[in-house]
Amino acid sequence: IKEATCKYSKAILTCKRASSLQDVINPTSAQSTSSGVSNKSTANAGKNKKNKAENAPVVNESEKEEMEECYERAILSVLSGVGWLVQCYPETIAAEQSYVDMESFPDSSSISRILQSSRGSFRREAYNLVGKICQFAPSLILSESASHLKMAPLIPNLLSSEKESSSFSPLLEMVLTYFAALRNE
C-alpha cells in the first residue's frame, strides 16, 4: 500500500500545472487527442503540424476553470493523503523499509516547491504534511541522503514571507515539530 500510494502521489505532485495533471490522471485521452481522431490524420505524417493544430482540443474558459479546480483538489488530496499515510505507517526501528529508502516517495523538490507556492491552500496543506513527516517519518527530514527534505534553509524564508493569517498556525506547528525532531535526533 505504501509503495503504490507513494508512487501515485509522486506522479501527481510533480505536476506544476492543471494541463500536466490531466496527462498524468488520464494518459489515454492525452495520447488520443495528441495523435488525432482518425487514421487518415496519423497517416499524413508530413502534415503533422497542421493536423495537430486542427485536432488540438479547444478549451474554453469554463473548462480551464474546471481543470484548475480539479488540479487544486488533486494536489490538496495527495498532500493530505501522504500525511495520513506517514501517520498510519510511522517509521520505527523495526520497520523493514524507511521512507527515505523508498524511491517512490514524493520528491523533496516537489514538496519544497509547494511550500513556496503562491496558493495559500497548497502551503497550508504542505505545512501539515511536513509537520507529520517530522513526527512520523523523521528520516525524510534528518537523513544525510540526497533525497531528504532540506528544511533549514527554507524556514526563515517561509516565516518571513507568509502573509495569510490562516497559514500562520500550520506554519508555526510545522516549525516547532521540525525543531522537536532535530532535538530528538
Side-chain angles (χ1 to χ4, degrees):
I1 292 176
K2 284 181 1 179
E3 190 73 31
T5 303
C6 288
K7 186 176 183 179
Y8 183 74
S9 299
K10 183 178 185 174
I12 297 294
L13 291 178
T14 57
C15 298
K16 295 179 181 178
R17 290 183 298 278
S19 58
S20 59
L21 176 68
Q22 292 301 319
D23 296 342
V24 170
I25 291 176
N26 196 358
T28 56
S29 70
Q31 290 172 353
S32 66
T33 57
S34 67
S35 64
V37 289
S38 69
N39 288 336
K40 281 186 175 180
S41 64
T42 56
N44 296 330
K47 300 177 185 176
N48 201 11
K49 287 183 183 179
K50 185 178 180 182
N51 285 338
K52 278 188 179 180
E54 290 173 0
N55 294 327
V58 177
V59 180
N60 62 28
E61 195 61 36
S62 66
E63 289 173 336
K64 283 182 184 178
E65 263 184 46
E66 187 176 323
M67 283 175 59
E68 284 298 321
E69 288 174 10
C70 177
Y71 174 71
E72 186 165 349
R73 285 192 308 269
I75 296 294
L76 292 174
S77 296
V78 165
L79 290 170
S80 177
V82 171
W84 278 105
L85 177 77
V86 168
Q87 187 172 351
C88 291
Y89 296 101
E91 288 181 340
T92 60
I93 296 171
E96 67 241 17
Q97 183 181 28
S98 71
Y99 287 99
V100 79
D101 296 331
M102 293 177 66
E103 288 183 26
S104 61
F105 197 84
D107 295 332
S108 61
S109 61
S110 297
I111 296 172
S112 296
R113 178 179 47 81
I114 294 170
L115 282 168
Q116 299 171 42
S117 172
S118 61
R119 298 181 189 200
S121 58
F122 285 9
R123 290 192 313 272
R124 276 189 298 281
E125 200 58 49
Y127 297 153
N128 289 328
L129 171 61
V130 173
K132 287 182 180 182
I133 288 173
C134 290
Q135 275 185 300
F136 302 107
S139 69
L140 290 170
I141 301 286
L142 304 174
S143 76
E144 295 300 322
S145 73
S147 65
H148 83 282
L149 185 59
K150 296 165 183 64
M151 286 300 301
L154 285 176
I155 289 177
N157 185 36
L158 294 174
L159 287 169
S160 65
S161 65
E162 186 58 63
K163 303 295 183 225
E164 290 188 30
S165 60
S166 60
S167 298
F168 291 151
S169 179
L171 172 60
L172 293 176
E173 287 177 25
M174 178 202 69
V175 170
L176 292 173
T177 308
Y178 172 71
F179 288 136
L182 282 177
R183 188 186 72 213
N184 292 336
E185 182 187 10

